[in-house]
Amino acid sequence: MLAEESRFDLIVVGGGINGAAIAREAALLGNDVLLLERDDFAAGTSATSTRLIHGGLRYLEHAEISLVYESLAERERLLKTAPHLVEPLEIFLPLTHSSRRGPLMIRAGMVLYDILSLRKSLPTHRMLNRDELLRALPGLDAEEIVGGASYFDAQVRFAERLVLENVLDAEAGGATLAPHTAVSGLLIEGGSVRGVEWRTESARGRALAPVVVNAAGPWVDAVLATGQERLAGEPRLIGGTKGSHLIADGFTGAPSHAVYAEAVSDGRPFFVIPWNGLYLIGTTDERYAEDPSDARMTAAEFAYLVAETRNLFPAATDLEDRVCYTCSGIRPLPPTEGVSEGAITRRHLIKRHARADGLYSIVGGKL
């Protein structure tokens, strides 16, 4: 338990993958670190993701070459350093008569994806004809399929464990862990951050440090709002979008491999992934301006994912009855106007607050 007033070299706010990894790196470098989390570790976006460690194949369409390269390099590191958590995942990409992207475009994207991960340990892509794809995925709509491709990314079956192992490594390096501890105020004096005020259900106090990293994910702006008038007028940093998933038991025609498809209704990419004996189906991508804690799947999102899965697998008439639960999370993306949700950059940004020296906020980030 935290003392009523304590001192550290660094305070990290937020116990998702960003905060946990930052705390780990800082602690292993010899810093005295405090990691604060309002709820439980990995309780937010990290636990409601599609649970992929991927380079972002679709980011190539938006010319995010450096982001894809960086993500593929990180994927390779995790495959080597955490093979008990991060496993190779073959993903099949079907092409239909109505696909917006033809075989040549898909092949070009796959070749570039392979080039950007030249030193990878995973197999390169394969282009498949109609019969080869249907042998791998017999539940697909055979009349619509013209061919497809397969490629490898990686899956973290339990993203919560990835976060927790970073947290435990941080603790082993000397970090102090404070779950279920909310930041009630940023301490800013003379143009510099001095620490934070914190509270739990039974106590409150102050933690002092010359550097505070705000890694609260979609709650970044909420943490900054506790800085009161000293940070008033700063533009908001988060313009998040909601991603929702169905988690279903085996349904009629369900695939034995992961599938990355293009939605018939709007061209949006979505996945049907075998996961933990179930199927992870998603995700949606809708702008969201409410409290991230209140994010829930809407009836429209549910109907959308069911309909698009049935477009892929026509025999899945029982899918609605096979849904075990749903989950929704908020991507901590920067505010962006005039572009589609899918075109908002997924690269992480580090904001240095000029009016509070020593205060940094993290926007974005990937598992």
Side-chain angles (χ1 to χ4, degrees):
M1 185 174 177
L2 284 173
E4 187 173 329
E5 182 165 305
S6 48
R7 294 181 178 275
F8 300 89
D9 298 323
L10 168 68
I11 298 170
V12 180
V13 181
I17 190 61
N18 282 349
I22 291 168
R24 173 187 180 273
E25 290 296 318
L28 294 180
L29 288 171
N31 295 287
D32 190 5
V33 178
L34 170 64
L35 176 59
L36 294 165
E37 165 55 44
R38 185 185 67 175
D39 295 310
D40 206 348
F41 297 118
T45 305
S46 297
T48 53
S49 69
T50 313
R51 299 171 182 268
L52 293 177
I53 304 295
H54 66 113
L57 180 62
R58 70 187 179 93
Y59 304 159
L60 294 176
E61 288 189 68
H62 304 294
E64 299 248 41
I65 305 297
S66 62
L67 172 61
V68 176
Y69 178 81
E70 178 185 66
S71 298
L72 288 170
E74 292 295 330
R75 182 192 70 182
E76 188 65 19
R77 290 190 185 97
L78 284 171
L79 282 166
K80 290 177 178 176
T81 60
H84 59 301
L85 298 178
V86 179
E87 303 169 332
L89 179 71
E90 186 175 17
I91 302 175
F92 286 82
L93 196 158
L95 289 171
T96 68
H97 292 292
S98 60
S99 292
R100 291 168 170 80
R101 302 162 186 82
L104 288 178
M105 181 178 290
I106 295 299
R107 186 178 185 86
M110 294 287 182
V111 169
L112 181 55
Y113 204 60
D114 286 338
I115 290 173
L116 290 171
S117 54
L118 265 179
R119 296 180 180 85
K120 67 181 180 181
S121 57
L122 300 179
T124 56
H125 80 280
R126 294 184 295 142
M127 296 301 295
L128 306 170
N129 61 36
R130 177 181 179 275
D131 291 341
E132 289 171 326
L133 185 64
L134 289 174
R135 277 198 294 273
L137 302 170
L140 291 173
D141 186 349
E143 293 185 1
E144 282 294 311
I145 295 298
V146 297
S150 88
Y151 69 101
F152 277 81
D153 260 321
Q155 181 182 52
V156 55
R157 197 173 299 272
F158 301 107
E160 300 89 339
R161 283 193 61 191
L162 182 63
V163 175
L164 284 173
E165 292 204 12
N166 274 274
V167 169
L168 292 173
D169 226 11
E171 185 180 41
T176 298
L177 308 182
H180 303 287
T181 305
V183 171
S184 53
L186 290 172
L187 301 174
I188 301 170
E189 300 174 5
S192 296
V193 71
R194 301 300 184 192
V196 303
E197 295 176 331
W198 56 265
R199 69 171 185 273
T200 66
E201 287 188 353
S202 59
R204 60 180 59 239
R206 303 190 338 156
L208 306 178
V211 179
V212 175
V213 175
N214 177 11
W219 292 273
V220 157
D221 288 322
V223 171
L224 294 177
T226 69
Q228 300 175 345
E229 71 279 356
R230 295 172 183 81
L231 293 176
E234 287 202 359
R236 65 190 177 98
L237 296 180
I238 302 296
T241 68
K242 182 175 64 166
S244 296
H245 293 87
L246 303 176
I247 293 83
D249 206 346
F251 53 90
T252 305
S256 56
H257 301 281
V259 180
Y260 176 33
E262 182 183 89
V264 173
S265 62
D266 58 8
R268 181 192 297 165
F270 76 103
F271 291 92
V272 179
I273 301 176
W275 172 73
N276 195 31
L278 301 169
Y279 284 87
L280 190 66
I281 302 172
T283 177
T284 58
D285 198 357
E286 300 185 354
R287 293 183 189 271
Y288 189 86
E290 308 302 320
D291 184 342
S293 302
D294 296 332
R296 300 291 186 274
M297 176 179 279
T298 63
E301 288 178 296
F302 186 96
Y304 169 83
L305 291 174
V306 168
E308 292 299 343
T309 304
R310 285 178 178 164
N311 284 334
L312 268 182
F313 303 102
T317 55
D318 58 345
L319 176 57
E320 285 175 281
D321 297 328
R322 307 296 284 175
V323 174
C324 302
Y325 63 97
T326 68
C327 68
S328 299
I330 306 303
R331 304 173 182 88
L333 306 178
T336 309
E337 303 297 334
V339 300
S340 67
E341 291 80 0
I344 301 173
T345 183
R346 264 53 174 179
R347 69 175 65 251
H348 72 271
L349 308 171
I350 302 173
K351 165 70 173 178
R352 179 176 180 177
H353 294 272
R355 293 162 64 184
D357 189 45
L359 175 63
Y360 300 84
S361 292
I362 310 298
V363 179
K366 292 157 59 68
L367 285 173

